[in-house]
Amino acid sequence: MIGRGGKAACLVAGLAVALGVAAVARADEGMWPYDHAPVEQIRQACGFAPSQAWLDHLRLSSVDPGASAAFVSPDGLILTNHHVALSSVQRVSTPEHNYVRDGFFAATREQEIPLPGNTLKVLVSIQEVAARVTAGVKPGMSPAQARAAREAAITEIEAECLQQTGLKGEVVALYGGAHHDLYRYKEFTDVRLVFVPELQAAFFGGDWDNFCYPRWDLDIAFLRAYENGKPARVEHWLHVNPEGARDGDAVFVSGNPGRTQRLKTLGYLEYGRDLVYPERLARTQHQREVLRGYLARGEEQARRGRTLDYFYGNTLKRVEGELAGLRDPRLMAKKQADEKALRAAVEADASLASRYGGAWERLAAAYAWAAAHETDRLYRNEMPGGRFFGTALNLVRLQTEAARPDLDRLPGYHESELPDLLRRLGSPSPVYKDMEEVMAADAFRRLLGGLGADDPFVQAVLQGRTPEDAARFYLEGTRLDDAAVRRELAKDGGRGVAGSDDVLLALARRLDPLLRGQEKAFRDNVRAVEESAETDIAQARFAVYGDKAYPDATGTLRFGFGKVAGYPSATTLVPPFTTWYGLYDRALSFGDRGDFTLTARQRERRDRLDLGGVLDMACTADITGGNSGSPLVDRDGRLVGVAFDGNQTSHANQFVYDETEARCVCVDVRGILQALGTLYDARPLVDELLAGAR
Amino acid sequence: MIGRGGKAACLVAGLAVALGVAAVARADEGMWPYDHAPVEQIRQACGFAPSQAWLDHLRLSSVDPGASAAFVSPDGLILTNHHVALSSVQRVSTPEHNYVRDGFFAATREQEIPLPGNTLKVLVSIQEVAARVTAGVKPGMSPAQARAAREAAITEIEAECLQQTGLKGEVVALYGGAHHDLYRYKEFTDVRLVFVPELQAAFFGGDWDNFCYPRWDLDIAFLRAYENGKPARVEHWLHVNPEGARDGDAVFVSGNPGRTQRLKTLGYLEYGRDLVYPERLARTQHQREVLRGYLARGEEQARRGRTLDYFYGNTLKRVEGELAGLRDPRLMAKKQADEKALRAAVEADASLASRYGGAWERLAAAYAWAAAHETDRLYRNEMPGGRFFGTALNLVRLQTEAARPDLDRLPGYHESELPDLLRRLGSPSPVYKDMEEVMAADAFRRLLGGLGADDPFVQAVLQGRTPEDAARFYLEGTRLDDAAVRRELAKDGGRGVAGSDDVLLALARRLDPLLRGQEKAFRDNVRAVEESAETDIAQARFAVYGDKAYPDATGTLRFGFGKVAGYPSATTLVPPFTTWYGLYDRALSFGDRGDFTLTARQRERRDRLDLGGVLDMACTADITGGNSGSPLVDRDGRLVGVAFDGNQTSHANQFVYDETEARCVCVDVRGILQALGTLYDARPLVDELLAGAR
């Protein structure tokens, strides 16, 4: 659903490099694959053991719109976050109908607005395919060879799935590649907008309050899946519990956490702390400043750049949090102790030692290589100029890769990946050339400053122009901003690309060979080593600690649990819930201005609200970026809230799950129902939600 | 006003060891003596230069009740904090009339309740006496001799003041002893209670929210000074600005900051970080746990121990904050750089070097001595058993000291100090023997554990008993809990003490010689060295940086300024004001329970309130413990708020004043007026306050 940034744009908890150091998950910890739900752990923590049918129902009610969501009525009604739907809503907004600013509610099905370019997925089945994936890996193979063998098997399995079942198949590598499963998805491509509140209500407090709690945000959106032009009839959907959850109640979360790296080695953390994160932080800060210069030009520019600005703000808080964690000596010491214990256990067993003992050294060598090639990583590993420029590289590569045997293609261009790529290339998401020019000029300046004018890569980009002139040259000359043009070029395996003299395509053609060389070197020397060594470490962990560990998040559907709970923060207590009173306090405390402005509805209908009613909620479920829009259910499987953020009370704690302070922040179902009924006159929606509760 | 803990019990900002490292005060920084108000700095920061008359008026409107306060009507009406008046209110409360729980309002003067044992001071004049204080200090004197010479002069000056003017005189050492001023005070000893809200309204959020912001507390009390049985007619008092201050407005604060140590050396900070603070933290945590065991026995015990529990909680937050700051390498590095620069400047000037260059080494030696005598400091430097036990030592020493020439007496027993001591000894503040026994037993256990059963000090305390038996023995046997008994004993220079066989007095007699030895050793080896060396350093600082520095707080009246301002905290913004909405949000977010319970008035009269009205306020004025009850005024000198707390957003920042995050937390005048009029039916009080505004 996130058009621009994919999962990266809906990062939730600032936990993307979240590193769990406990050998065995503690109470409430873990993002569990549905086929490895820790039933006994849940029973101990919650006094309730979910049945298989209970788990299946929650899984089949869960929807992947690029982040997380859930069916909440038999007629395909879907609840997710406003910020998950934002790009799509922006795309169908116009100056006359500004749904982002004003919100939207379709009182009838006919009024529901199609959101083209969206795909929703439901995880239909999970099948273990580990043996088949690793069958081609033979002793004595180099890491690169082993990787190629696994990739070949994966490509074959995914293609076979689509062919045999018509379902999209995805081979999912878990436990650092120790396990592989085939996930089969039912897809919905006709998605329509039912309801969004005003951006200001959804994102009250703006970037300031993002990653914070307490919050008073109505970060919700209702969509509807259609099939054959009619609302999809779905068998599995979540009933609503209009009473919500109480403080201390067990809650369960289902969603698609994007990425955790809790099993990464100390060597990786040091590399990140010393090189990757400080640079990323500085660069993102700089990019945001540049963008804000553009935003300041006027209201229309501010509207155009809003999503990107939000993306930068979100990224900054996350990167700041991660870096603070990496710089916390206490955390590093903990990680060190954990790694030492695992390595000692491996060394103590001759068989484990011979199989896995070398993994850490191999990784250390890989990160040393990466550190030695830092300049390449910073300047030569992606198409410069921004995401839109990347589209040109996608088209050029589509043309060359589609003509090759599937197994020989670059990652991202395999047959099974082409539908996604084509959808992205053809997305009607508008390209604002003036904004792209500002950002591209900055990217070119950075390139020139980093590599110097004599560098071949720089020369290929600038061709003697200044960064500003080059950015203008490409953006004035290109027609790739037109989605129809891109679609036409992409047709039939990118056949039209070769004949185009578009200046951006020409740039991509010049850079492609240079980038391929760098990408291959990094793949072979770092990523392939990581995959192989981390597989070893994950397997070693299993050998030592058994199967009570959960795998790192990889963007696939996961199940979690926890309880509704406030927490101590610094020297005080943070409450488990927030009320509508707090919305008005925070707005008026700042003078009802800026990011803390009330909406007209909030101002005018205040007296109709039960101000003491619950609006948002905090719980201990273990989530991360990608969980945005995740349903929270009670032990009866009834919806009590929707996750939209994670708190950031303690940077030092965020690399290790710790239920003392880490919290998943949700819009409470009571807040949703009261808002719909009282502020938005959306009775039909309330009725549809409550039909199951009656 | 604070009965039990004196100034220590109304510590406000957790800044007691607050260490400013900037050579010259920045905007908004500083606790300025009224005769050194930085008019030019204020003009630059606020665009307004207060006149001498303006400053005199604020000074003469300021009241010292043991913390801070101000006259707010010509009829001697005084505004201070609820927590400043709490002990006094507790003293006049009974099970039938529980003013602490229920609040109190005297609708007529006749209903105002006398609060015996209180003295209010108004600073009438400041006169420099530096030359006279140091006249007796001759070259070649040891630190102890120099100290004695200064003390002799001070004692003489203070005695002379009382004799000549009838005003209480206090020689105040500023700038680490580089300056001495004689402060003359007018005293009011007839103080009556006019209004207090319920403790729950004043201290909403309890210990949790103490040292926090945002806050929604009504931490106010109104007292009235009487003279000759009638309300005191005062010439100087603060008019109220019923509109309050706006975000960004300049505000000025007047009060009695207790103690800062911003000029202490790095050696002191290291000594504190490694020895003093960790031990104090652990001990206070333990004592609070012991006390809480007592509180848990029942409602009456909880009532009795409330003040002490509050004291411990307050102390803990402060000590935790200070220790966190001392452990912050960034802070220590900053301090180190500052000290290095000053020392280099001193060394670069032969005259300065010869006069002051040795000060740092002398201090280092003193702290080394203290560290080597850590056991003595921990166990042998005070009467064990708690504050009530200390009363016995006061009586025993009163008897011996009062008989000596004034110059030879122990600190605290000089002629000019006797009235205070006698008032404290005669205070009707109740002694709860059961609570004292619990705390004394714990103190004795600590003593036994720390020194061992064979130690003479331990033997003098326990006399072969267990700690529990010894505590019971002393408390069952003593009659010192009776204020009349204490008053009788203290009469005529403690003449009655010699004839008493009270068991506590006997204990004090046994310990007195042991304690005197320890106290003298610490005075000679540490405190006298500190006084002398810090005088040198302060003088060196003046020689190097000029007179743009302010002196450390020493409990005397100071003037400060700043602006109303929110601040960024972690990743979000904290607002400059809070509203009544927030009170209801925070209460209901926690389910209206525990420390977050609404009062009956707040619940029942909610609909009468303008919920969006301002309740509390934050400003950048530089305050610390002792500023509780300080009036905040605008540039017209009109009251806009009363300080009651400091925030604690960043422990690492609290040792250095930093207006980015450090905030003085106030009850806004609008919150006071609305509460009085709407919640408490206290119209007469509102009228008295507004009389000047009309």
Side-chain angles (χ1 to χ4, degrees):
Chain A
M1 193 59 69
I2 294 289
R4 185 158 201 97
K7 285 217 167 77
C10 52
L11 288 159
V12 175
L15 289 162
V17 181
L19 308 139
V21 297
V24 172
R26 286 152 293 191
D28 299 5
E29 177 171 355
M31 300 165 178
W32 301 89
Y34 265 86
D35 55 340
H36 290 98
V39 174
E40 186 48 36
Q41 188 181 328
I42 298 169
R43 191 204 306 275
Q44 285 177 18
C46 311
F48 159 74
S51 67
Q52 192 55 49
W54 190 102
L55 288 165
D56 289 345
H57 175 69
L58 183 56
R59 169 171 57 82
L60 291 164
S61 300
S62 300
V63 176
D64 179 350
S68 301
F71 286 121
V72 288
S73 95
D75 294 324
L77 186 68
I78 291 164
L79 171 61
T80 186
N81 289 150
H82 183 280
H83 77 269
V84 170
L86 179 58
S87 302
S88 297
V89 176
Q90 199 158 33
R91 232 171 286 151
V92 297
S93 288
T94 61
E96 296 76 47
H97 297 286
N98 192 335
Y99 305 129
V100 173
R101 185 188 63 203
D102 305 328
F104 172 79
F105 171 56
T108 66
R109 301 280 151 91
E110 290 68 37
Q111 291 170 15
E112 295 177 0
I113 301 174
L115 301 174
N118 281 285
T119 301
L120 307 176
K121 299 191 299 183
V122 174
L123 179 55
V124 173
S125 72
I126 302 175
Q127 181 191 341
E128 194 179 331
V129 291
R132 196 170 155 193
V133 167
T134 53
V137 180
K138 306 297 177 202
M141 276 185 169
S142 73
Q145 288 170 321
R147 181 194 152 84
R150 286 196 301 272
E151 275 186 6
I154 288 170
T155 303
E156 195 178 272
I157 293 167
E158 290 179 351
E160 186 184 288
C161 172
L162 188 62
Q163 196 189 346
Q164 290 180 353
T165 64
L167 293 173
K168 182 183 169 72
E170 231 173 64
V171 172
V172 169
L174 299 177
Y175 298 106
H179 283 253
H180 285 86
D181 293 300
L182 173 63
Y183 278 44
R184 288 200 186 86
Y185 296 101
K186 176 173 169 63
E187 294 187 314
F188 296 88
T189 52
D190 184 352
V191 184
R192 305 192 187 173
L193 180 63
V194 178
F195 170 86
V196 277
E198 312 89 333
L199 174 63
Q200 181 54 27
F203 199 46
F204 177 79
D207 274 347
W208 288 113
D209 282 2
N210 194 24
F211 291 113
C212 288
Y213 185 80
R215 287 286 282 281
W216 297 271
D217 288 24
L218 190 69
D219 191 351
I220 59 167
F222 285 97
L223 312 175
R224 196 183 301 279
Y226 276 69
E227 282 186 306
N228 307 316
K230 289 181 186 164
R233 289 294 299 179
V234 295
E235 195 184 338
H236 293 279
W237 52 278
L238 301 177
H239 289 63
V240 158
N241 177 358
E243 307 294 321
R246 287 163 309 177
D247 188 13
D249 277 0
V251 287
F252 306 88
V253 63
S254 182
N256 302 286
R259 187 157 164 263
T260 57
Q261 303 185 65
R262 296 190 182 175
L263 304 183
K264 283 281 189 189
T265 61
L266 187 64
Y268 176 83
L269 300 199
E270 289 168 345
Y271 168 58
R273 179 194 62 196
D274 299 339
L275 287 176
V276 180
Y277 281 86
E279 192 277 332
R280 188 176 296 165
L281 180 62
R283 176 151 38 123
T284 310
Q285 282 168 335
H286 172 75
Q287 286 175 319
R288 184 160 76 161
E289 267 173 44
V290 171
L291 176 66
R292 291 197 162 174
Y294 169 79
L295 300 183
R297 292 184 188 173
E299 205 173 314
E300 172 59 16
Q301 286 88 343
R303 189 189 69 80
R304 290 179 178 184
R306 169 122 213 147
T307 306
L308 187 57
D309 186 44
Y310 172 55
F311 171 73
Y312 284 140
N314 219 326
T315 302
L316 273 178
K317 288 204 178 188
R318 184 174 50 80
V319 174
E320 277 170 8
E322 287 160 357
L323 183 55
L326 291 172
R327 284 177 171 164
D328 181 350
R330 191 185 57 85
L331 179 108
M332 294 298 263
K334 210 171 165 187
K335 183 79 192 170
Q336 200 160 25
D338 194 59
E339 191 165 301
K340 196 173 161 187
L342 177 58
R343 293 184 72 169
V346 167
E347 291 307 325
D349 179 317
S351 154
L352 291 181
S354 77
R355 256 186 297 170
Y356 305 126
W360 287 272
E361 280 81 8
R362 271 151 56 212
L363 283 170
Y367 298 127
W369 186 93
H373 292 77
E374 183 68 358
T375 303
D376 293 334
R377 188 183 71 78
L378 291 182
Y379 299 107
R380 295 190 184 95
N381 82 333
E382 65 177 5
M383 178 83 174
R387 183 172 287 264
F388 169 58
F389 278 57
T391 310
L393 186 66
N394 289 147
L395 285 165
V396 166
R397 288 187 169 178
L398 174 63
Q399 178 208 347
T400 51
E401 297 303 302
R404 295 183 179 179
D406 199 40
L407 294 184
D408 295 345
R409 297 182 191 171
L410 287 176
Y413 296 86
H414 293 297
E415 205 56 41
S416 61
E417 297 169 308
L418 288 188
D420 267 356
L421 178 63
L422 292 174
R423 198 151 30 227
R424 273 197 292 120
L425 286 173
S427 161
S429 181
V431 174
Y432 303 113
K433 279 190 167 186
D434 59 338
M435 184 173 85
E436 295 295 339
E437 188 182 318
V438 168
M439 301 314 295
D442 178 63
F444 295 167
R445 278 191 296 271
R446 173 178 170 274
L447 205 61
L448 180 61
L451 295 177
D454 297 334
D455 185 271
F457 195 88
V458 173
Q459 291 181 337
V461 173
L462 299 183
Q463 297 190 301
R465 297 183 181 86
T466 66
E468 295 74 21
D469 287 346
R472 192 175 318 116
F473 169 77
Y474 290 121
L475 283 156
E476 281 180 358
T478 188
R479 291 186 57 221
L480 296 189
D481 57 310
D482 184 336
V485 169
R486 292 196 303 273
R487 272 195 294 270
E488 188 59 34
L489 287 166
K491 251 189 201 163
D492 300 328
R495 203 169 292 174
V497 173
S500 167
D501 60 354
D502 192 279
V503 291
L504 264 196
L505 291 177
L507 172 64
R509 271 187 219 107
R510 288 196 299 279
L511 296 181
D512 189 25
L514 300 171
L515 289 167
R516 278 176 192 258
Q518 295 299 335
E519 287 167 9
K520 184 172 179 345
F522 270 87
R523 248 193 334 269
D524 291 350
N525 288 290
V526 183
R527 251 169 272 149
V529 180
E530 282 184 326
E531 283 195 22
S532 141
E534 286 171 0
T535 302
D536 285 358
I537 291 175
Q539 290 177 349
R541 280 187 100 247
F542 280 116
V544 172
Y545 297 120
D547 65 348
K548 288 192 173 170
Y550 58 92
D552 267 320
T554 55
T556 55
L557 191 66
R558 299 292 180 90
F559 170 76
F561 59 98
K563 55 185 176 301
V564 176
Y567 53 99
S569 172
T571 63
T572 187
L573 282 182
V574 178
F577 300 103
T578 67
T579 74
W580 290 88
Y581 276 122
L583 171 69
Y584 291 94
D585 177 56
R586 192 150 173 83
L588 297 176
S589 293
F590 284 109
D592 197 3
R593 280 180 309 178
D595 287 329
F596 303 96
T597 309
L598 296 168
T599 66
R601 283 189 186 86
Q602 288 166 351
R603 228 173 269 131
E604 289 156 14
R605 301 189 175 200
R606 184 189 61 173
D607 291 341
R608 300 194 206 170
L609 285 167
D610 168 15
L611 292 168
V614 170
L615 177 46
D616 290 346
M617 171 181 92
C619 69
T620 62
D622 186 5
I623 60 158
T624 189
N627 273 110
S628 286
S630 291
L632 273 288
V633 302
D634 61 19
R635 65 178 64 198
D636 297 325
R638 292 181 306 169
L639 184 82
V640 294
V642 55
F644 74 98
D645 203 359
N647 66 349
Q648 199 185 26
T649 51
S650 164
H651 286 159
N653 280 351
Q654 77 171 319
F655 289 93
V656 180
Y657 174 82
D658 176 6
E659 68 182 22
T660 311
E661 297 206 10
R663 287 296 178 275
C664 162
V665 181
C666 314
V667 185
D668 192 284
V669 71
R670 288 163 285 188
I672 296 173
L673 292 173
Q674 188 172 190
L676 292 176
T678 305
L679 293 183
Y680 297 99
D681 299 324
R683 257 345 282 186
L685 197 47
V686 173
D687 290 341
E688 186 173 354
L689 287 170
L690 292 183
R694 280 195 297 262
Chain B
M1 194 58 71
I2 292 290
R4 186 160 200 95
K7 285 219 167 77
C10 52
L11 288 158
V12 175
L15 289 163
V17 180
L19 307 141
V21 297
V24 171
R26 285 151 293 189
D28 299 6
E29 177 170 354
M31 299 165 178
W32 301 89
Y34 266 86
D35 54 340
H36 290 97
V39 175
E40 185 48 37
Q41 187 182 327
I42 297 170
R43 191 203 307 277
Q44 285 176 18
C46 310
F48 159 76
S51 67
Q52 192 56 50
W54 189 102
L55 287 165
D56 288 346
H57 175 70
L58 184 56
R59 169 172 56 82
L60 292 163
S61 299
S62 300
V63 177
D64 179 350
S68 301
F71 287 121
V72 288
S73 95
D75 293 324
L77 185 68
I78 290 164
L79 171 61
T80 186
N81 289 148
H82 183 280
H83 77 269
V84 170
L86 179 58
S87 301
S88 297
V89 176
Q90 198 157 36
R91 232 172 287 149
V92 295
S93 289
T94 60
E96 297 76 47
H97 298 287
N98 192 334
Y99 304 129
V100 173
R101 185 188 63 203
D102 305 329
F104 172 77
F105 171 57
T108 65
R109 301 280 152 92
E110 290 68 37
Q111 291 170 16
E112 295 176 0
I113 301 174
L115 300 174
N118 281 286
T119 301
L120 306 176
K121 300 192 298 184
V122 174
L123 178 56
V124 173
S125 72
I126 302 176
Q127 180 192 342
E128 196 179 327
V129 292
R132 193 168 159 196
V133 167
T134 53
V137 179
K138 306 297 176 199
M141 274 186 168
S142 73
Q145 288 170 320
R147 182 194 152 86
R150 287 195 301 272
E151 275 186 6
I154 288 170
T155 303
E156 196 178 271
I157 293 167
E158 290 178 351
E160 186 184 289
C161 171
L162 188 64
Q163 196 190 348
Q164 290 180 353
T165 64
L167 293 172
K168 181 184 170 71
E170 232 171 63
V171 171
V172 169
L174 299 177
Y175 300 105
H179 283 252
H180 284 86
D181 294 300
L182 174 62
Y183 278 44
R184 288 198 186 86
Y185 297 100
K186 174 171 169 65
E187 294 188 312
F188 296 89
T189 51
D190 184 353
V191 184
R192 304 192 188 173
L193 180 64
V194 179
F195 170 85
V196 276
E198 312 88 331
L199 173 63
Q200 180 55 25
F203 199 46
F204 176 78
D207 274 347
W208 288 114
D209 282 2
N210 194 23
F211 291 113
C212 287
Y213 185 79
R215 289 284 284 279
W216 297 270
D217 288 24
L218 189 70
D219 192 350
I220 60 168
F222 286 96
L223 312 175
R224 197 183 300 279
Y226 277 70
E227 283 186 304
N228 308 316
K230 288 180 186 163
R233 288 294 300 180
V234 295
E235 194 185 338
H236 292 279
W237 51 278
L238 301 178
H239 289 62
V240 158
N241 177 357
E243 307 294 320
R246 287 162 310 176
D247 188 14
D249 277 359
V251 286
F252 306 87
V253 63
S254 182
N256 302 286
R259 186 160 165 262
T260 57
Q261 303 184 66
R262 295 190 181 175
L263 304 183
K264 282 282 187 186
T265 61
L266 188 65
Y268 175 82
L269 301 199
E270 289 169 345
Y271 168 58
R273 179 193 62 195
D274 299 338
L275 286 175
V276 180
Y277 281 86
E279 192 277 332
R280 188 177 297 166
L281 180 62
R283 178 155 34 128
T284 310
Q285 282 168 334
H286 171 76
Q287 285 175 320
R288 184 160 74 161
E289 267 173 47
V290 171
L291 176 66
R292 290 198 162 173
Y294 169 79
L295 301 183
R297 291 183 189 173
E299 205 173 313
E300 172 59 15
Q301 286 89 343
R303 188 188 71 79
R304 291 178 176 184
R306 169 119 213 150
T307 306
L308 187 57
D309 186 44
Y310 172 57
F311 171 74
Y312 284 140
N314 220 327
T315 303
L316 272 179
K317 289 204 179 189
R318 186 173 49 79
V319 174
E320 277 171 8
E322 288 158 356
L323 183 55
L326 291 172
R327 285 177 171 164
D328 181 351
R330 191 184 60 83
L331 180 108
M332 294 299 263
K334 209 170 165 186
K335 184 79 192 169
Q336 201 161 23
D338 195 59
E339 191 165 303
K340 196 175 161 186
L342 177 59
R343 293 184 72 171
V346 167
E347 291 307 324
D349 180 316
S351 154
L352 292 181
S354 78
R355 255 186 300 168
Y356 305 126
W360 286 271
E361 279 82 8
R362 272 151 55 213
L363 282 171
Y367 299 127
W369 186 92
H373 293 77
E374 181 69 0
T375 303
D376 293 334
R377 189 184 69 78
L378 291 182
Y379 300 107
R380 295 191 185 94
N381 83 332
E382 65 176 8
M383 179 82 174
R387 184 170 286 263
F388 169 61
F389 278 58
T391 310
L393 185 66
N394 289 146
L395 286 165
V396 166
R397 288 187 169 178
L398 174 65
Q399 177 208 350
T400 52
E401 297 303 301
R404 297 183 177 181
D406 198 39
L407 294 185
D408 296 344
R409 296 182 192 172
L410 286 178
Y413 296 87
H414 293 298
E415 205 56 40
S416 61
E417 296 170 309
L418 287 188
D420 267 354
L421 177 64
L422 292 174
R423 197 152 29 224
R424 273 196 292 119
L425 286 173
S427 161
S429 181
V431 174
Y432 303 113
K433 280 190 166 185
D434 57 339
M435 184 172 83
E436 296 294 341
E437 188 183 318
V438 168
M439 300 315 294
D442 178 64
F444 295 167
R445 276 192 299 269
R446 172 177 170 275
L447 205 62
L448 180 59
L451 295 177
D454 296 337
D455 183 272
F457 195 89
V458 173
Q459 290 180 338
V461 173
L462 298 183
Q463 297 191 302
R465 298 182 180 87
T466 66
E468 295 72 23
D469 286 347
R472 190 175 318 118
F473 169 77
Y474 291 121
L475 283 154
E476 282 181 356
T478 188
R479 289 186 58 221
L480 296 188
D481 58 310
D482 185 337
V485 170
R486 293 196 301 272
R487 274 193 294 270
E488 189 59 34
L489 288 167
K491 254 190 201 164
D492 301 327
R495 200 170 294 175
V497 173
S500 168
D501 61 354
D502 190 279
V503 289
L504 264 196
L505 292 176
L507 170 64
R509 273 186 218 106
R510 288 196 299 278
L511 295 182
D512 190 26
L514 300 171
L515 289 169
R516 279 175 190 258
Q518 294 301 333
E519 288 167 10
K520 183 172 181 344
F522 269 88
R523 248 192 336 268
D524 292 350
N525 288 289
V526 184
R527 250 169 270 150
V529 179
E530 281 183 325
E531 282 194 23
S532 143
E534 286 171 2
T535 301
D536 286 357
I537 291 175
Q539 290 178 350
R541 279 187 101 246
F542 280 116
V544 171
Y545 297 119
D547 66 346
K548 289 190 173 170
Y550 57 92
D552 267 320
T554 56
T556 55
L557 190 66
R558 299 292 180 91
F559 169 75
F561 59 98
K563 56 186 174 300
V564 177
Y567 53 99
S569 172
T571 64
T572 188
L573 283 180
V574 178
F577 299 103
T578 67
T579 73
W580 290 87
Y581 276 123
L583 171 70
Y584 291 94
D585 177 57
R586 193 150 173 83
L588 297 176
S589 292
F590 284 108
D592 197 3
R593 279 180 310 178
D595 287 329
F596 304 96
T597 308
L598 295 168
T599 66
R601 283 189 187 86
Q602 288 165 350
R603 228 173 270 131
E604 289 155 15
R605 301 189 176 200
R606 184 189 62 174
D607 292 341
R608 300 194 206 170
L609 285 167
D610 168 15
L611 292 168
V614 170
L615 177 47
D616 289 347
M617 172 181 89
C619 68
T620 61
D622 186 5
I623 61 158
T624 189
N627 273 112
S628 285
S630 290
L632 273 289
V633 302
D634 59 20
R635 65 178 63 197
D636 298 323
R638 292 181 306 169
L639 185 82
V640 294
V642 55
F644 73 98
D645 202 0
N647 68 349
Q648 197 185 27
T649 52
S650 166
H651 285 159
N653 279 353
Q654 76 171 321
F655 289 94
V656 180
Y657 174 81
D658 176 6
E659 67 183 22
T660 310
E661 297 204 10
R663 287 296 177 276
C664 162
V665 181
C666 315
V667 185
D668 192 284
V669 71
R670 289 163 285 187
I672 296 173
L673 293 172
Q674 188 172 189
L676 292 176
T678 306
L679 293 183
Y680 296 100
D681 298 325
R683 255 347 283 186
L685 197 47
V686 173
D687 291 340
E688 186 173 356
L689 288 170
L690 292 184
R694 281 195 295 264

